Amino acid sequence: MLETEIEYNNLLSKLGRTLRPNAIRKLTQMLGRSDIISLAAGAPSAETFPLEEMAEIASRVIRERGAVALQYGPSRGLGKLVEAVTDIMRARGVDRARPAEVVMTTGSQQGLDLAARVILDPGDVAMVELPSYIGGIIALHNAQAEMVGVRQDDGGIDITDLREKIDRARQEGRRVKCIYTIPNFQNPSGVSLAADRRQQLIEVADQHNLLIIEDDPYYELYFASQSRLPAPLVAIKPSRVIYLSSFSKVLAPGIRTAWVHAPEPLASKIEIAKEGADLSSSMLDQAIVAEALSTGLIARRLPDIREFYEARCRAMLDALEKGAPKDARWTRPAGGFFIFLELGADVDAADRLPAAIESGVAYVPGQPFFVDDAGKNTLRLAYSKETPERIAEGIARLCRLL
Ligand SMILES: Cc1ncc(COP(=O)(O)O)c(C=O)c1O
């Protein structure tokens, strides 16, 4: 039979039928044109990749340890890297972190996918910030979870709203299982969770016997002029938290190396789920990261990276200050890659995008970040990719349009 004669839809799973392209990836594919200033792509700047050092490390790793680096490896991850990540977790405040609680993953994205599949049955409820990271929403969707959105303000997730929404879901007979949160320099909003709310979030999880999925890829990316944020949730109560972090933003996302730290029984399940997904993450990538850690390459570059992104954020904030419409409001991040802009209630950011692209600037309309379909009048601006000069020009163009 020819492909055109087969009705593939009938052969798909229920999940397969509901899969839709990720709004941002679709958009960034359209943005190949170099004349477009892209405030859409949330990727690290390639200028921060240590090309020479990585080339040297990669060739050394292959020459000296190729038998391990080019071989299949343990699903948990390369032993040396698991040990190094355990040290990182201790430095982040988990005093008693152990290698048995760590699983290396192919990006945090895989960690989100595996964590969701291990803890959620179809129909289980996951509490999600409004707005939240699209990749996290996709992972929860793929586990067929129902997502309930919780308000956020400049101090992060609103604890009162969280309590109310959990109570309501329970009263409706639904099973609430977890809270998905990005407490540091959130993607897409740029806001961070206030210290007192970190404590309260743990209390809510304890009270309702929930797990917290703490997604923390931007932990190290606080700005040079700022201080480190309060301890992550996992440091307050490791037994309640599946914690994810990544080398994507501090080294390079192309090496797809990240980790999950979870209570041992959950880490074991995630490890088994990972075996079915990819047997193990790339040993070569992990060996390179292990070397980049042990030679101090990553730590050495962090101060420059923090300055690099702060200058870009400053350029964006200054340009917004100068030109944004009177009724617009925006976040003022202390780290990370993103500013979130809220326009007048009657403005539809998706409708305005074609005109923006026409005038040579792109952003991501905010609605796909909201699991309750709100946020039509919002948009995400990333300052990670473009130079400060192009950011200023891009925001000026955008402001003229708005
Ligand atoms: C909040 C959040 N979580 C996870 C990821 C995925 O990171 P990784 O490259 O480690 O898969 C990203 C990437 O942008 C992110 O912003």
Side-chain angles (χ1 to χ4, degrees):
M1 269 177 104
L2 293 171
E3 230 176 68
T4 45
E5 293 168 19
I6 302 175
E7 186 39 81
Y8 289 103
N9 229 20
N10 295 335
L11 298 172
L12 289 175
S13 66
K14 264 191 205 145
L15 171 66
R17 281 195 288 273
T18 65
L19 294 177
R20 300 273 177 274
N22 169 344
I24 300 185
R25 293 193 83 95
K26 222 168 90 184
L27 183 68
T28 44
Q29 280 159 14
M30 268 166 46
L31 296 177
R33 282 168 45 192
S34 63
D35 57 323
I36 293 185
I37 299 176
S38 179
L39 309 177
S45 165
E47 285 174 58
T48 67
F49 302 159
L51 299 180
E52 286 307 316
E53 292 95 329
M54 290 292 272
E56 190 276 314
I57 287 177
S59 81
R60 185 150 43 84
V61 160
I62 291 172
R63 279 206 200 90
E64 294 174 9
R65 288 198 293 284
V68 171
L70 299 179
Q71 188 54 279
Y72 288 116
S75 301
R76 279 247 159 199
L78 182 71
K80 188 178 165 202
L81 186 57
V82 171
E83 291 283 348
V85 163
T86 307
D87 289 341
I88 292 176
M89 291 307 298
R90 291 195 194 111
R92 293 187 187 188
V94 186
D95 298 336
R96 286 197 284 233
R98 289 174 300 120
E101 295 161 336
V102 173
V103 183
M104 300 308 302
T105 56
T106 304
S108 278
Q109 191 58 44
Q110 184 184 47
L112 290 169
D113 181 71
L114 297 176
R117 282 199 276 147
V118 162
I119 66 173
L120 292 159
D121 284 314
D124 282 351
V125 172
M127 310 305 292
V128 174
E129 290 156 346
L130 292 171
S132 185
Y133 168 55
I134 290 190
I137 294 174
I138 290 172
L140 293 167
H141 171 84
N142 288 355
Q144 299 181 59
E146 286 187 23
M147 285 168 264
V148 173
V150 183
R151 265 202 313 269
Q152 258 187 127
D153 59 27
D154 290 343
I157 196 167
D158 178 331
I159 302 291
T160 308
D161 195 44
L162 175 67
R163 287 185 193 280
E164 282 172 15
K165 298 262 173 68
I166 292 173
D167 287 344
R168 198 177 315 152
R170 290 235 149 128
Q171 279 156 17
E172 290 165 2
R174 299 155 85 194
R175 183 153 176 217
V176 185
K177 275 274 186 71
C178 66
I179 304 165
Y180 171 55
T181 180
I182 305 151
N184 296 327
F185 322 121
Q186 199 228 29
N187 179 0
S189 69
V191 306
S192 297
L193 188 62
D196 56 337
R197 294 196 199 176
R198 291 178 190 236
Q199 198 65 49
Q200 291 161 1
L201 197 55
I202 296 286
E203 284 162 19
V204 173
D206 273 341
Q207 187 190 345
H208 292 280
N209 193 25
L210 308 177
L211 287 166
I212 295 174
I213 301 178
E214 180 177 27
D215 187 8
D216 196 14
Y218 302 101
Y219 175 86
E220 291 288 1
L221 294 192
Y222 57 90
F223 292 150
S225 70
Q226 307 279 328
S227 44
R228 202 178 268 291
L229 287 170
L233 300 162
V234 67
I236 305 175
K237 191 143 192 191
S239 58
R240 279 280 163 217
V241 179
I242 299 178
Y243 178 85
L244 304 104
S245 194
S246 173
F247 294 101
S248 284
K249 322 290 178 183
V250 293
L251 189 58
I255 52 169
R256 309 304 301 128
T257 302
W259 72 92
V260 177
H261 177 279
E264 197 177 335
L266 297 180
S268 299
K269 291 289 183 188
I270 288 169
E271 176 187 11
I272 297 166
K274 182 173 166 64
E275 264 174 47
D278 65 357
L279 296 180
S280 87
S281 296
S282 155
M283 284 291 131
L284 178 58
D285 290 351
Q286 292 183 73
I288 291 170
V289 174
E291 196 65 11
L293 281 170
S294 69
T295 57
L297 173 66
I298 294 179
R300 241 188 345 268
R301 295 174 56 259
L302 280 173
D304 285 349
I305 291 178
R306 292 177 185 131
E307 258 179 43
F308 180 89
Y309 289 117
E310 179 162 21
R312 293 175 172 218
C313 180
R314 190 71 264 151
M316 188 173 275
L317 287 172
D318 288 348
L320 283 169
E321 218 65 71
K322 246 185 247 159
K326 289 262 170 314
D327 54 354
R329 283 169 11 99
W330 57 91
T331 55
R332 288 172 176 76
F337 289 174
F338 306 107
I339 289 174
F340 207 64
L341 185 68
E342 188 182 330
L343 300 163
D346 55 336
V347 184
D348 184 329
D351 275 358
R352 300 286 177 100
L353 185 60
I357 291 176
E358 203 46 49
S359 68
V361 58
Y363 57 81
V364 183
Q367 191 170 25
F369 299 104
F370 288 80
V371 298
D372 65 354
D373 281 341
K376 263 203 170 68
N377 61 329
T378 64
L379 53 101
R380 188 190 75 176
L381 297 168
Y383 47 79
S384 52
K385 182 166 170 277
E386 300 284 2
T387 61
E389 297 70 33
R390 277 173 61 95
I391 287 172
E393 174 56 29
I395 294 290
R397 286 184 200 175
L398 185 62
C399 290
R400 280 196 292 276
L401 196 95
L402 295 171

